[in-house]
Amino acid sequence: MDPLHPLYEPYDHGMLDVGDGNLVYWEVCGDPRGRPAVVLHGGPGSGCAPGYRRYFDPERYRVVLFDQRGCGRSLPHASDPATDMSLNTTAHLVADLERLREHLGIDRWVVTGTSWGSTLALAYAERHTDRVTAVVIDGVTSTRRSEIDWLYNGVGRFLPEQWQRFRAAVPGGGDVVADYARALENPDPAVRLAAARAFHAWEDATISLEPKGPTTLYSDRDETAMLARARICAHYFSRGAFLEEGVLLREAGRLARVPGTLIHGRFDLGSPLETAWRLARAMPLAQLVVIEGEGHTGGATMKEAKRRALDALVAG
């Protein structure tokens, strides 16, 4: 049985000028009088997919989705080497989110996010707590440097052959993520594309050992989307997501009065459960839901848990 709501279409959409020459694509769907909620996609740089809408009851939610700077339908696109990446940081994304809220005339909203989107949700909620009614995040990360190092180095002990291919695909020998960030800025388009493919092949490998883990989740996208996502990921991860190390966990006490749900797969190899567990201890009104037998990409059980958490917020 399908655990999600049927797919439905947006009733409004547009491009928001957020400054710095950036236009952010947004769309709104569901009930215009419903409870406002915003979706923060992963990556960074993955873009928002229609399937995200299906977690929300269209008769009870007013759902806002948008493509973060440089990806999806937002402009300028990070696949274009001329796009200035210095204008794409966590602080920029938090500010964009607040501009979008104001543009749509929303006072407060439920903030949801997946994977990198959970990091952005925490960064936004800790900065604008008075604008957040609840937090529902899955594949929980805080993008600490220790988490980045685990994903792009530590996991290699379980996948030595794949990691060696990942390491050998770009020149360097020091910080592998920094080496990829440089390769993805190379003026030669062939070098950039090869780096993007190798980057996504590694991310696919990290979920390949998970129960129900797909094998081409990250690399199964067109070249333009792949180039943008890899460039944005490497840009952020080679710089600690432009966050002080551990700041989102240290300041999670700001969310002590914010209800929510933290959903995480027990066998998430790339983003171990520890971060979600530590965050839950700082958020007494948030429930930690550990999904047994599933990993970062989840499955039917994780999808149902997220849908139930969102349904519960508008029950009655």
Side-chain angles (χ1 to χ4, degrees):
M1 181 177 177
D2 192 331
L4 302 182
H5 295 286
L7 184 64
Y8 48 98
E9 295 302 312
Y11 64 80
D12 197 9
H13 69 278
M15 298 289 281
L16 177 64
D17 186 342
V18 294
D20 307 316
N22 278 268
L23 298 174
V24 168
Y25 172 84
W26 59 268
E27 61 187 36
V28 187
C29 49
D31 183 352
R33 297 166 297 178
R35 183 169 184 177
V38 64
V39 176
L40 307 180
H41 64 69
S46 293
C48 231
Y52 283 113
R53 307 170 195 154
R54 300 187 60 208
Y55 290 97
F56 301 85
D57 184 341
E59 297 183 357
R60 294 174 180 264
Y61 274 105
R62 179 188 179 194
V63 189
V64 179
L65 303 94
F66 74 104
D67 292 325
Q68 295 159 30
R69 289 193 183 204
C71 70
R73 292 145 290 189
S74 293
L75 298 170
H77 206 260
S79 60
D80 181 350
T83 296
D84 184 356
M85 295 301 291
S86 72
L87 301 174
N88 196 332
T89 70
T90 301
H92 284 103
L93 300 186
V94 169
D96 292 350
L97 187 51
E98 191 58 359
R99 282 180 186 243
L100 181 58
R101 182 192 63 77
E102 293 173 350
H103 174 73
L104 296 174
I106 294 172
D107 182 47
R108 303 173 72 216
W109 51 9
V110 177
V111 178
T112 73
T114 296
S115 190
W116 156 257
S118 67
T119 292
L120 183 56
L122 294 172
Y124 175 82
E126 291 178 12
R127 176 69 178 81
H128 298 284
T129 310
D130 59 329
R131 298 302 180 185
V132 178
T133 58
V135 171
V136 178
I137 54 179
D138 58 293
V140 181
T141 70
S142 67
T143 318
R144 290 172 290 165
R145 286 167 177 79
S146 57
E147 292 174 58
I148 296 167
D149 183 65
W150 171 257
L151 177 59
Y152 295 102
N153 286 288
V155 177
R157 69 191 65 179
F158 300 104
L159 298 156
E161 293 181 19
Q162 294 91 331
W163 189 86
Q164 183 57 44
R165 286 197 293 271
F166 172 59
R167 174 62 276 184
V170 298
D175 182 337
V176 64
V177 183
D179 290 339
Y180 269 85
R182 283 190 291 272
L184 288 158
E185 299 294 336
N186 194 289
D188 185 341
V191 171
R192 295 197 303 274
L193 182 57
R197 285 175 171 160
F199 189 90
H200 286 96
W202 169 248
E203 292 208 341
D204 280 333
T206 66
I207 60 174
S208 66
L209 298 183
E210 296 178 353
K212 307 173 186 175
T215 57
T216 58
L217 176 69
Y218 299 113
S219 58
D220 188 17
R221 59 191 71 210
D222 63 46
E223 290 183 1
T224 298
M226 184 183 297
L227 282 164
R229 184 182 183 279
R231 188 183 181 199
I232 295 171
C233 280
H235 169 69
Y236 273 76
F237 296 159
S238 64
R239 296 167 175 84
F242 306 93
L243 296 166
E244 292 180 31
E245 177 67 356
V247 66
L248 298 182
L249 289 178
R250 285 199 308 275
E251 298 189 1
R254 294 173 181 263
L255 307 179
R257 297 184 179 181
V258 177
T261 306
L262 318 176
I263 305 167
H264 207 86
R266 173 77 71 183
F267 297 118
D268 189 330
L269 186 63
S271 303
L273 178 59
E274 178 209 10
T275 296
W277 182 80
R278 290 182 60 184
L279 181 62
R281 289 168 64 86
M283 296 178 62
L285 298 185
Q287 177 187 15
L288 174 61
V289 179
V290 179
I291 307 298
E292 304 294 344
E294 293 186 9
H296 193 69
T297 56
T301 304
M302 184 177 287
K303 290 178 180 179
E304 183 176 10
K306 186 174 182 180
R307 192 218 74 218
R308 285 180 178 274
L310 290 164
D311 284 351
L313 291 175
V314 290

